[in-house]
Amino acid sequence: MSRTVGTLFEAQRRLVAERRLSFDPAARKDALEALRRAILAHEGQIIAALAQDFGKPEAEVLLTEILPVLSEIRLAQRRVKAWARDRRVGVTLTTMGTSARIRREPRGVCLIIAPWNYPLNLALGPLVSCLAAGNSAIVKPSELTPATSAVIAKIIASAFDPDLVAVAEGGVETSTELLALPFDHIFFTGSPEVGRIVMTAAAKHLSTVTLELGGKSPVIVGPGADLAKAAEWITFGKLTNAGQTCIAPDHLFVHEDIRDAFLPLLRARIARVIDKGPMAGIISPRHAGRLETLLREAEAAGAKVTRERTGGEGSFAPALVSAITPEMRLDQEEIFGPILPVIPFRDLSAVLARINARPKPLALYVFEKDQAFIDQAIGSTSSGGVGVNLTVLHYSHEGLPFGGVNHSGHGAAHGEWGFLAFSHQRAILQNRFSPLGMIFPPWTGGKLRLIRLAKRLIGGGVSGKS
């Protein structure tokens, strides 16, 4: 075990015990304000680092990395006092004479493991919820974005004492050392494959976990959809961050009646986005090589690949793919790049059956004006979230829980949902004048009659005694 990592953990664990009462909502707001100021002070470095790591344009950095974190901070600062307040609970028939409340307590020392695709947002966003809930944290940024990881380390070092928040930079070895420690909660964002490793490591200490994973998020374009709007939203969801987004449209089901009218609109929208501005690059040559392999394999197996122009130096040319089959890896694996398979359909039920035959996705998108069509698509499937006539925007709504289901994730984030992920719901029942002592043993005949009376009042129906 690394002395540095172990020392950080032990120092935070000691401080958690010492400040359990002193790290109140006012102190948490101060910590969040320190984070806000540090982000703004390093804004230029953040933009430069993300350009260096994989060519992310400044507009995308502001929109998808910085603004979401600042928005989370703003909401938490306004609401943390209300979120942390005890919740009163009404009495039940068997607990008359008591008072009940739920106390939202910090879990303790938390580990936040962030991915490379939105390295700032997905490191500091969960940290906002962690601090709002009163915890300490060790943040592990991705080694695939070293420039951004270094800026994250600067931001956190300038805002916090390491006994409250610290950064552990490094690769797989660092992650392995961290996962060997008995954290009170682990918040992981990444692939389902690594999520299984995190969950296995957490099980050794019975640590609670939040897993933000991914999967193949389908899009359904119905016969009554606004085709121009659908093309705009699908392009936005697919090309933002070059498709390296966990809730990006992964494959596209298009009704046969509108397919020929829709695809030219989609291609035109993609071309306009490419022409008007730069696109983010693929994170590494290895990841770009994987995308090329998926396309070559699909083409060799009979798929038709239509490539667009590239979005600038280092970017990957977007591609639309038709005539794919279930045997192709392109149809089996999460794509995580600007490749969009297009699958025509006639019967919505067949599409829904195909979606349900796969692991539950992180997102489902439906484009249609007919509410019955929309309701059928939502009611017949399960996914982490749903977008109707839009893509990816549900991530930005802090009043909605963001998270997956089963294969696509466990738990939820953002706003109060993120606060709850980092909180323990502690039940407190206090005796005022409970009459329950009247039926304590020994079990006399009179006490038995009282118990039977309580059963009739609570359960009703016919007595089970024969």
Side-chain angles (χ1 to χ4, degrees):
M1 179 188 299
S2 165
R3 177 179 175 81
T4 302
V5 168
T7 300
L8 283 173
F9 176 81
E10 290 301 331
Q12 290 196 0
R13 187 153 65 171
R14 285 193 299 272
L15 190 62
V16 163
E18 293 170 2
R19 69 162 193 270
R20 182 167 291 277
L21 295 178
S22 62
F23 198 46
D24 59 9
R28 300 175 198 179
K29 288 176 69 174
D30 290 342
L32 293 170
E33 178 61 16
L35 179 60
R36 186 188 71 84
R37 291 177 179 274
I39 291 171
L40 293 176
H42 291 81
E43 181 178 309
Q45 295 181 46
I46 294 168
I47 293 169
L50 281 157
Q52 179 180 335
D53 281 333
F54 59 110
K56 188 173 288 196
E58 180 178 351
E60 280 195 17
V61 174
L62 294 171
L63 181 65
T64 67
E65 299 277 4
I66 295 175
L67 283 177
V69 180
L70 294 178
S71 183
E72 286 281 349
I73 292 173
R74 180 172 180 267
L75 178 67
Q77 286 179 314
R78 289 166 47 204
R79 301 299 303 278
V80 64
K81 185 176 180 180
W83 290 345
R85 188 178 298 126
D86 286 2
R87 264 56 179 172
R88 295 287 176 183
V89 181
V91 298
T92 64
L93 191 59
T94 55
T95 59
M96 290 179 63
T98 67
S99 63
R101 65 188 187 276
I102 300 169
R103 175 161 295 171
R104 296 173 167 182
E105 295 186 340
R107 290 192 181 276
V109 184
C110 302
L111 172 62
I112 298 170
I113 303 177
W116 55 262
N117 59 327
Y118 292 94
L120 183 94
N121 180 353
L122 297 178
L124 300 187
L127 179 61
V128 173
S129 298
C130 180
L131 290 171
N135 302 280
S136 66
I138 295 178
V139 179
K140 166 61 178 70
S142 173
E143 69 275 15
L144 295 182
T145 50
T148 307
S149 296
V151 176
I152 290 171
K154 289 181 182 178
I155 290 170
I156 289 177
S158 69
F160 306 110
D161 186 290
D163 287 356
L164 178 61
V165 185
V167 171
E169 293 185 89
V172 174
E173 300 81 4
T174 301
S175 297
T176 302
E177 292 177 11
L178 287 166
L179 288 171
L181 296 168
F183 283 95
D184 296 295
H185 188 72
I186 300 173
F187 192 108
F188 169 79
T189 307
S191 69
E193 292 71 29
V194 181
R196 292 186 182 95
I197 296 172
V198 172
M199 200 167 185
T200 299
K204 295 178 181 177
H205 304 290
L206 297 179
S207 303
T208 55
V209 295
T210 301
L211 302 178
E212 298 288 354
L213 306 177
K216 295 182 73 63
S217 296
V219 184
I220 303 171
V221 183
D226 182 326
L227 302 186
K229 291 295 184 183
E232 290 178 1
W233 278 100
I234 292 168
T235 301
F236 170 68
K238 190 61 176 177
L239 295 193
T240 297
N241 207 35
Q244 298 165 117
T245 304
C246 58
I247 51 174
D250 184 272
H251 51 292
L252 183 60
F253 295 101
V254 181
H255 197 276
E256 292 176 353
D257 288 351
I258 50 92
R259 180 182 182 276
D260 291 344
F262 175 68
L263 290 183
L265 294 174
L266 181 61
R267 290 195 62 192
R269 185 65 187 180
I270 292 172
R272 184 181 179 195
V273 170
I274 293 171
D275 288 343
K276 295 297 182 181
M279 283 177 55
I282 302 302
I283 186 64
S284 70
R286 180 174 69 85
H287 285 75
R290 171 185 167 273
L291 294 175
E292 291 288 359
T293 299
L294 289 177
L295 287 176
R296 286 198 303 270
E297 289 179 355
E299 212 165 15
K304 181 181 178 182
V305 177
T306 304
R307 298 292 293 266
E308 305 295 337
R309 297 183 301 279
T310 61
E313 184 179 353
S315 65
F316 189 93
L320 297 179
V321 185
S322 59
I324 70 168
T325 62
E327 294 75 25
M328 298 175 184
R329 282 206 298 151
L330 196 63
D331 194 53
Q332 297 172 359
E333 300 179 8
E334 183 178 10
I335 295 171
F336 227 65
I339 300 171
L340 188 59
V342 179
I343 307 163
F345 76 93
R346 170 62 58 183
D347 180 12
L348 178 60
S349 297
V351 171
L352 302 179
R354 182 167 175 170
I355 292 172
N356 289 331
R358 299 183 174 197
K360 297 173 182 178
L362 186 54
L364 167 72
Y365 302 113
V366 184
F367 288 86
E368 177 57 64
K369 295 175 184 175
D370 178 30
Q371 192 62 45
F373 185 102
I374 296 168
D375 290 343
Q376 183 182 356
I378 297 174
S380 301
T381 58
S382 177
S383 64
V386 178
V388 179
N389 295 319
L390 54 79
T391 63
V392 308
L393 187 61
H394 64 289
Y395 175 88
S396 301
H397 196 307
E398 293 147 356
L400 292 174
F402 180 81
V405 54
N406 298 130
H407 186 271
S408 55
H410 291 188
H414 297 177
E416 188 172 8
W417 302 96
F419 178 92
L420 291 173
F422 285 97
S423 300
H424 167 58
Q425 312 300 305
R426 190 178 189 183
I428 302 173
L429 188 66
Q430 186 168 347
N431 188 4
R432 303 294 187 188
F433 47 86
S434 171
L436 198 63
M438 295 172 60
I439 59 170
F440 285 172
W443 309 117
T444 62
K447 291 177 180 179
L448 179 57
R449 286 191 293 274
L450 286 174
I451 293 171
R452 285 177 175 167
L453 174 61
K455 173 183 171 290
R456 286 197 297 273
L457 290 172
I458 294 172
V462 179
S463 172
K465 184 178 179 181
S466 58

